Amino acid sequence: MPLHKGSQKHQERPMSVNPFFGEANPVAGMTEAPPTHRLPDGPLPPMTAYQLVHDELMLDGNARLNLATFVTTWMEPQAGVLMAECDDKNMIDKDEYPRTAELERRCVAMLADLWNAPDPANTIGCSTTGSSEACMLAGMALKRRWAQRNADRYPGGARPNLIMGINVQVCWEKFCNFWEVEPRFVPMEGDRYHLDAQAAADLCDENTIGVVAILGSTFDGSYEPVADLCAALDALQERTGIDVPVHVDGASGGMVAPFLDPDLVWDFRLPRVASINTSGHKYGLVYPGVGWALWRDKESLPEELVFRVNYLGGDMPTFALNFSRPGAQVVAQYYTFLRLGRDGYRAVQQASRDVATGLAERIEALGDFRLLTRGDELPVFAFTTADHVTAYDVFDVSRRLRENGWLVPAYTFPADREDLSVLRVVCRNGFSKDLADLFVEDLTRLLPGLRRQPHPLTHDKDAATSFHH
C-alpha cells in the first residue's frame, strides 16, 4: 500500500462551509473555505473547526457494524470519562505520574496471575501501543537470547530463523523483515488452517530463535495447539539437544481462553512458553490502543534490552519501541479489570461466543454457505459459499452487505489454500443478539438477488479483498 502523499487534485477540492457554522453572525467571516491540504492562513472559531471535521468523519463506516475488526468499539461512559481525564498524562513519565505507573504495574500482575505465571507478583511485563509492538518486543527478546547462546556463531555465518504458521498476523512478517530474521512458515493443508505442531518442530534447527503459536487465528478464529507444540519441541530437545522457546501470540485468545476455556493448557503452565502478548484493545475490552507483553522470568527477557533512563529525576526501566504516549488506555484497562473481575469477563466473553455460535448456525441454515469454523473458540467464524452456489461468490456478498452498512471482510487464504475464499465475522462486546438478528435479516434479503446473478461479478479478487489485518 503506498504511503500517504499529496494530490493536486485533492488540494483543489474546496471544503463546503455552512453559514450557520459562524459562532455569532452566520455570514460574517465565512467568505472563504479553509484549504484541505495546507495550513490555513489564519485560525477558525473552535466550533467551526469542530463541525468541519465532524461532518467529514460522518462518511466513515459505523464502528459497531464493523464485523471485520477485533478492536473494541464500545465501552461504558465512565471509562470514556476516565480516558479523557488521562489523555494529557505521558505514560513514560513515571516520576511525575506515579499512580498511572502503579496501575500499569497492577495490570501486569493481574495478567501474570490470569496466565498462571510462576511468580505473578514479580513477573516482568509492560504495556504497549498494541499487540504488534508487543510481538516486536517478544521477538527481540527471543533473538537476543538466541544470540547470547550462539555468540561463537553470531554474527557470522549463522542466520536466525523464526517458525510460525502461514496464518500469522502481518506484524510477525514485519518483525522478521525489520530484525533480519528468516521467517519459516508452516503451510495450511486441507482443512487445517493454522500451524501443525509436528510440522513446526520439523522446521526447527540450531538457528531457530523460537516458535510462535497463535491463540486465536485472525483467519478463522481457531486456537493453535500450544500444548501439542510444546510437547513436540520437548521431544525435539530430547532427541537433538536443540532447545526452542515458544511465544504465544494471544492477541485475542489471551483474554478469552482463561475465562471460557480454563482447562485448556496454553499459558505459563507450559514450561516452554517464554512469553505471551495480548491486545487490551481487543477482547481486553478497551478502546485502542493498548497491548501487553509478559515474560516468564528474568532469563526470558535479557537485561541488556531494558533501558534505564534518568528521567525527570527518577530511575526508569523501560522496554518499548516508542517513548511518549498517553496513559488513558492503561487506566481504562485497569478500570475494566476492576469493573468486571473474572466473573464479569466470563459473562461478557460468553455472551460474545453465544452470539457467534448462534449466528454461525443461522447462516449455515440458509443453505448457501459452508462453515469453516463455528465461533466456539474465539467468538469469530469463517464461512464460504456452498459447492452448489455458482451465481455469486464471497466478494459479491461482502460488497452487497456493505451497501447495508455491514463491514464483513472477504479474502483469499494464503499459500497452499489460495483456492479458498471466505467471509469472516468477528463478534465483540457491543455486537448484540439484536444486531445479529438484523444482520441475518439483511443477508437473507440479499440472497434472492445474488442467486439471480449470471455469474460472480468480482473480476479482481486481490482488489476486492477487505482483509488487511
Side-chain angles (χ1 to χ4, degrees):
M1 180 181 296
L3 297 176
H4 293 295
K5 52 186 178 181
S7 166
Q8 187 63 34
K9 179 180 178 182
H10 287 166
Q11 290 173 357
E12 293 173 353
R13 178 179 63 83
M15 296 181 73
S16 176
V17 179
N18 189 317
F20 282 103
F21 288 0
E23 283 194 321
N25 184 340
V27 296
M30 304 301 294
T31 58
E32 183 176 315
T36 57
H37 286 69
R38 63 175 177 83
L39 285 172
D41 295 331
L44 290 172
M47 194 61 204
T48 303
Y50 165 82
Q51 196 69 48
L52 287 170
V53 178
H54 172 81
D55 286 358
E56 186 153 359
L57 290 174
M58 288 171 59
L59 299 177
D60 275 345
N62 185 326
R64 292 281 295 278
L65 302 184
N66 183 357
L67 303 186
T69 185
F70 286 77
V71 172
T72 296
T73 54
W74 183 87
M75 289 190 76
E76 292 174 313
Q78 293 87 343
V81 172
L82 271 176
M83 293 181 75
E85 292 172 352
C86 296
D87 276 340
D88 59 347
K89 295 183 179 180
N90 186 0
M91 264 299 302
I92 208 68
D93 187 357
K94 293 175 169 45
D95 187 56
E96 289 294 312
Y97 306 115
R99 300 323 301 168
T100 302
E102 170 62 14
L103 298 190
E104 179 187 27
R105 190 191 66 80
R106 292 180 191 175
C107 287
V108 168
M110 289 176 175
L111 288 169
D113 178 64
L114 187 67
W115 295 338
N116 298 290
D119 184 8
N122 295 301
T123 296
I124 302 171
C126 61
S127 66
T128 64
T129 54
S131 268
S132 291
E133 183 187 2
C135 290
M136 299 286 174
L137 299 179
M140 289 166 60
L142 290 174
K143 183 179 179 182
R144 187 59 60 91
R145 285 182 63 196
W146 172 85
Q148 290 174 343
R149 294 196 304 265
N150 293 274
D152 57 329
R153 301 188 306 117
Y154 181 83
R159 184 188 181 195
N161 65 71
L162 182 67
I163 313 300
M164 49 197 151
I166 192 70
N167 56 300
V168 291
Q169 212 265 1
V170 70
C171 70
W172 286 107
E173 299 179 51
K174 290 182 179 179
F175 165 76
C176 290
N177 186 7
F178 297 164
W179 275 272
E180 298 181 328
V181 173
E182 175 195 354
R184 293 186 178 178
F185 295 109
V186 177
M188 293 182 178
E189 183 178 356
D191 293 333
R192 176 179 57 76
Y193 307 119
H194 57 223
L195 174 145
D196 174 77
Q198 189 56 53
D202 291 343
L203 289 174
C204 294
D205 58 27
E206 66 276 7
N207 294 329
T208 300
I209 66 173
V211 180
V212 176
I214 311 294
L215 196 71
S217 171
T218 58
F219 277 87
D220 64 357
S222 61
Y223 293 157
E224 292 193 329
V226 184
D228 291 345
L229 172 63
C230 290
L233 294 174
D234 289 343
L236 175 71
Q237 183 177 7
E238 184 176 349
R239 188 172 66 253
T240 66
I242 298 174
D243 183 11
V244 179
V246 169
H247 172 77
V248 179
D249 183 348
S252 294
M255 293 303 296
V256 173
F259 305 109
L260 301 189
D261 309 293
D263 296 330
L264 179 68
V265 179
W266 63 273
D267 52 20
F268 288 124
R269 285 171 287 182
L270 297 166
R272 195 166 291 276
V273 173
S275 50
I276 302 173
N277 73 273
T278 197
S279 288
H281 61 230
K282 292 180 181 173
Y283 288 98
L285 308 180
V286 175
Y287 286 140
V290 61
W292 301 92
L294 273 67
W295 287 266
R296 166 180 291 279
D297 46 37
K298 292 182 178 180
E299 289 71 32
S300 299
L301 177 59
E303 174 65 25
E304 64 196 72
L305 291 178
V306 179
F307 282 79
R308 298 188 178 276
V309 182
N310 186 332
Y311 191 76
L312 296 182
D315 177 63
M316 182 192 66
T318 177
F319 184 37
L321 297 181
N322 58 43
F323 206 64
S324 296
R325 57 188 172 92
Q329 286 78 9
V330 167
V331 170
Q333 184 73 84
Y334 183 72
Y335 164 85
T336 308
F337 284 167
L338 195 66
R339 166 79 172 88
L340 292 178
R342 286 180 179 254
D343 288 345
Y345 263 96
R346 186 176 299 111
V348 170
Q349 311 300 37
Q350 186 63 58
S352 293
R353 182 179 280 181
D354 290 345
V355 170
T357 55
L359 182 56
E361 289 177 2
R362 295 176 67 183
I363 288 174
E364 184 179 41
L366 294 173
D368 283 38
F369 303 103
R370 174 174 65 88
L371 296 177
L372 276 66
T373 48
R374 297 180 172 273
D376 53 357
E377 292 182 320
L378 285 190
V380 175
F381 63 94
F383 60 101
T384 188
T385 50
D387 292 340
H388 69 272
V389 174
T390 59
Y392 64 91
D393 59 18
V394 295
F395 300 97
D396 292 325
V397 177
S398 178
R399 184 179 63 254
R400 293 299 307 278
L401 285 170
R402 183 178 287 265
E403 294 170 4
N404 288 266
W406 301 102
L407 305 180
V408 182
Y411 53 94
T412 300
F413 270 29
D416 295 318
R417 284 312 317 264
E418 292 170 311
D419 59 305
L420 181 60
S421 298
V422 306
L423 294 151
R424 187 200 65 199
V425 172
V426 178
C427 298
R428 306 174 309 282
N429 183 39
F431 181 65
S432 62
K433 185 178 181 300
D434 291 340
L435 285 175
D437 290 343
L438 293 174
F439 176 79
V440 173
E441 289 175 10
D442 282 345
L443 179 59
T444 303
R445 190 161 44 246
L446 293 174
L447 286 180
L450 288 168
R451 291 165 181 160
R452 288 194 298 269
Q453 290 184 180
H455 53 73
L457 301 181
T458 304
H459 300 294
D460 185 355
K461 293 184 179 181
D462 289 335
T465 185
S466 50
F467 180 79
H468 297 292
H469 58 286

